[in-house]
Amino acid sequence: KVGDVYRDGGGIATLRIFRSLKPVIGAINGAAVGIGVTMQLPMDIRMASTDARFVFVFARRGITPEAASSWFLSRLVGMQTALEWCFTGRVFNAQEALQRGLVRSLHAPGELLPAARALAREIADHSAPVSIALTRQMLWRMAGAEHPMAAHRVDSRAIQARGQSADAREGVSSFLEKRTPVYPNKVSTDMPDFFPWWDEPEFK
């Protein structure tokens, strides 16, 4: 609770994932029911085992979706699919999750974690952490913007700041020298001055 107002624990968890400055990759292997599926929604990339099953069971139990899924789900799969899955509360398989955009790819159960780790390694080895942190927040936060001008304003500040950074110099040098980059800027100390550009809503 926040004061006299109830806050569901799942929503607190998903909002923390939403605010993360690191990429979040989900590897779903088995049954994802209730919070087991809604907590995946703010993750950046979801990969699933061919054995995975999903269900937004809430209406069949006389309750409603939680964990801020009413904001995340339709942005991932579209309103029609979000409503169908929530209205019916039926179990659907990994293939349907892939076809409707809930997951990025399907893998044999034993190959799921290696595939997720390989994707994480690709990001970590080749991308600047500060650029990733900014990009993650830019894309998620602009998903609800009323006009592209909001994105243009943030994009302009970000590309200017990053273009003048040591990371940008390293990105060009490593490309020309055909070597793996070693980005010097750190998320903990080198985020641009305009970050964060939003006001975080209070829990009330």
Side-chain angles (χ1 to χ4, degrees):
K1 289 180 74 170
V2 177
D4 294 327
V5 179
Y6 172 75
R7 293 292 182 191
D8 84 273
I12 292 170
T14 56
L15 288 171
R16 286 183 176 158
I17 295 171
F18 177 72
R19 289 194 296 264
S20 174
L21 297 182
K22 295 180 181 180
V24 181
I25 299 172
I28 299 93
N29 191 1
V33 181
I35 187 62
V37 67
T38 56
M39 72 182 298
Q40 301 170 24
L41 304 181
M43 296 176 183
D44 303 306
I45 300 167
R46 287 158 305 282
M47 306 164 76
S49 151
T50 50
D51 289 346
R53 297 292 180 271
F54 304 83
V55 55
F56 293 87
V57 71
F58 307 100
R60 288 196 181 197
R61 301 295 175 266
I63 57 175
T64 55
E66 37 59 279
S69 56
S70 59
W71 191 89
F72 288 107
L73 183 58
S74 63
R75 284 169 167 78
L76 296 176
V77 300
M79 186 62 75
Q80 180 171 260
T81 293
L83 290 169
E84 178 192 338
W85 285 347
C86 290
F87 286 170
T88 65
R90 66 176 172 80
V91 177
F92 57 95
N93 63 22
Q95 187 61 44
E96 182 174 343
L98 177 68
Q99 290 171 342
R100 300 216 186 178
L102 183 61
V103 300
R104 163 210 186 251
S105 53
L106 301 184
H107 306 267
E111 297 170 4
L112 176 62
L113 280 178
R117 288 188 180 112
L119 178 59
R121 186 81 265 158
E122 181 181 358
I123 295 168
D125 286 349
H126 300 285
S127 302
V130 172
S131 294
I132 291 294
L134 280 169
T135 300
R136 184 181 196 277
Q137 290 300 318
M138 288 162 67
L139 288 172
W140 271 115
R141 297 203 181 257
M142 289 303 114
E146 293 184 3
H147 192 280
M149 181 59 74
H152 175 61
R153 289 172 179 153
V154 174
D155 293 356
S156 297
R157 296 169 82 181
I159 194 67
Q160 181 182 37
R162 291 272 72 210
Q164 297 169 352
S165 70
D167 279 353
R169 291 189 291 278
E170 172 62 8
V172 172
S173 296
S174 62
F175 173 75
L176 294 175
E177 295 165 12
K178 296 181 172 48
R179 61 174 173 80
T180 301
V182 180
Y183 293 108
N185 294 151
K186 300 183 183 310
V187 173
S188 58
T189 57
D190 299 312
M191 295 296 281
D193 292 342
F194 71 87
F195 182 88
W197 62 87
W198 64 87
D199 293 322
E200 197 72 33
E202 294 181 31
F203 279 88
K204 65 177 183 177

